[in-house]
Amino acid sequence: MTTRLYTHPIFLEHITPPGHPERPDRLRAIERVLDDEAFAALDRVKAPEGDEATILYAHPADFVARVRAAIPDEGIARIDADTTASPKSWQAVITAIGAANAAVDDVFTGRADNVFVAARPPGHHAEKTTAMGFCFFNTAAIAARYAQKKHGAERVAVVDWDVHHGNGTQDIFWDDPSVLYCSTHQMPLYPGTGAKNETGAGNIVNAPLAPQTGSEVFRDAFLSRVLPALDNFAPDLIIISAGFDAHHRDPLAEINLTEDDFDWATGQLMQRATRHSGNRLVSLLEGGYDLQGLAFSVAAHVGRLMKG
Ligand SMILES: [Zn+2]
């Protein structure tokens, strides 16, 4: 397996207020853990600058302009109750999108079997016309549409194991059966969506988990709901919205997974990528707010991507 890693120093320059959980130290913790010799074979590439026009694949132009206008020249500006922007946030957001789209290019051209994008801010809460939950634009949704437009993918699956429901991704693909969206997440929890009966055009599969759920129930939800949906859909590409806040150490939720669960789930999705998608798998960092839980989980995830 050739596994590529995209990251970029600009992702450290999206500054959030003191005490905010979505902070630059998250990426520093990931960088440190991936410095280990065990990851020497990673194909490390600096993320390219993104093409702003691709944001329009998932968001209307007036909304994009509104977000851009909200970026401050100095200090920190509030976009919603918990989403803030600093002067370099726009460049960070665009580069995160550029990295995700480049990852799609890589798996379709065979430069890599799979790719992990270590970027921030995250994206899965961003709806068509709403920035929220630390997210500006929906990077995973843009990358899915990019795969369809640039590489002729007919069916793209987005699998989201972040502990929060990806309301934004669900919103964007609600009536689009060419994209399958599968999510495991704690319920009740922010943002409040993600019930089983939210099924869109039959392309939305939600597997809500009760607080205090551990490995066994999580894996059962994956085996009984997510993986059968993937087999039935037979995607040309699998995108993972890889949040690691379902780790038991995470302060924002009450799901009790360990890094072994992320290793296991990664392996399951790789099997489906081999079966249906020519191994093509792109993983995008979403949440994960305990630095140690995040670092150990990313190490398990990327280690599995490299081993196959
Ligand atoms: Zn989350």
Side-chain angles (χ1 to χ4, degrees):
M1 287 281 164
T2 307
T3 300
R4 181 168 276 198
L5 168 71
Y6 281 109
T7 189
H8 195 290
I10 191 68
F11 299 141
L12 300 174
E13 295 191 55
H14 166 56
I15 307 298
T16 48
H20 196 286
E22 204 294 282
R23 58 208 192 276
D25 279 349
R26 298 177 60 233
L27 281 195
R28 293 191 183 101
I30 289 174
E31 233 165 73
R32 259 196 308 278
V33 79
L34 295 183
D35 255 350
D36 191 274
E37 200 182 320
F39 301 99
L42 264 182
D43 178 23
R44 292 158 204 265
V45 182
K46 198 169 168 185
E49 193 162 337
D51 174 2
E52 291 182 21
T54 64
I55 304 172
L56 300 175
Y57 294 175
H59 303 280
D62 57 339
F63 168 67
V64 177
R66 219 175 340 125
V67 172
R68 180 158 208 171
I71 308 290
D73 292 330
E74 55 183 43
I76 290 179
R78 203 159 277 285
I79 308 272
D80 94 329
D82 47 24
T83 312
T84 59
S86 65
K88 295 282 179 64
S89 293
W90 183 262
Q91 210 187 326
V93 167
I94 298 305
T95 308
I97 292 166
N101 291 344
V104 169
D105 288 335
D106 293 337
V107 297
F108 273 97
T109 58
R111 277 193 296 268
D113 291 299
N114 54 51
V115 184
F116 180 63
V117 177
R120 55 184 289 279
H124 74 149
H125 292 305
E127 299 184 344
K128 276 180 208 148
T129 59
T130 309
M132 59 185 278
F134 318 158
C135 303
F136 294 69
F137 302 125
N138 198 309
T139 317
I142 292 165
R145 290 252 163 89
Y146 180 86
Q148 294 181 318
K149 287 179 193 291
K150 299 287 167 159
H151 297 283
E154 290 177 9
R155 292 174 309 282
V156 179
V158 179
V159 177
D160 184 339
W161 67 46
D162 188 282
V163 81
H164 303 94
H165 182 241
N167 59 296
T169 316
Q170 172 170 299
D171 172 64
I172 289 163
F173 297 121
W174 183 255
D175 53 4
D176 179 354
S178 72
V179 176
L180 174 71
Y181 177 66
C182 301
S183 176
T184 56
H185 48 273
Q186 180 179 323
M187 196 167 198
L189 188 67
Y190 181 90
T193 50
K196 268 188 185 170
N197 65 3
E198 296 165 23
T199 55
N203 61 322
I204 308 285
V205 177
N206 285 314
L209 307 170
Q212 305 308 334
T213 289
S215 296
E216 203 177 318
V217 173
F218 167 76
R219 293 187 189 202
D220 184 59
F222 230 71
L223 290 168
S224 65
R225 291 181 63 76
V226 175
L227 300 177
L230 280 175
D231 282 332
N232 190 45
F233 187 69
D236 301 309
L237 167 69
I238 298 175
I239 295 174
I240 307 177
S241 263
F244 297 98
D245 40 10
H247 191 276
H248 66 91
R249 290 182 56 97
D250 200 274
L252 265 55
E254 294 96 32
I255 298 293
N256 296 316
L257 302 191
T258 69
E259 45 273 23
D260 289 346
D261 295 306
F262 294 115
D263 179 338
W264 176 85
T266 305
Q268 294 297 316
L269 295 183
M270 290 176 77
Q271 282 179 18
R272 266 60 191 188
T274 300
R275 189 179 299 169
H276 304 294
S277 326
N279 288 331
R280 289 182 290 271
L281 191 150
V282 166
S283 174
L284 308 176
L285 179 67
E286 300 278 4
Y289 304 101
D290 175 79
L291 297 184
Q292 186 184 317
L294 174 65
F296 287 3
S297 299
V298 167
H301 175 55
V302 174
R304 176 56 54 196
L305 288 176
M306 293 170 73
K307 280 191 291 243

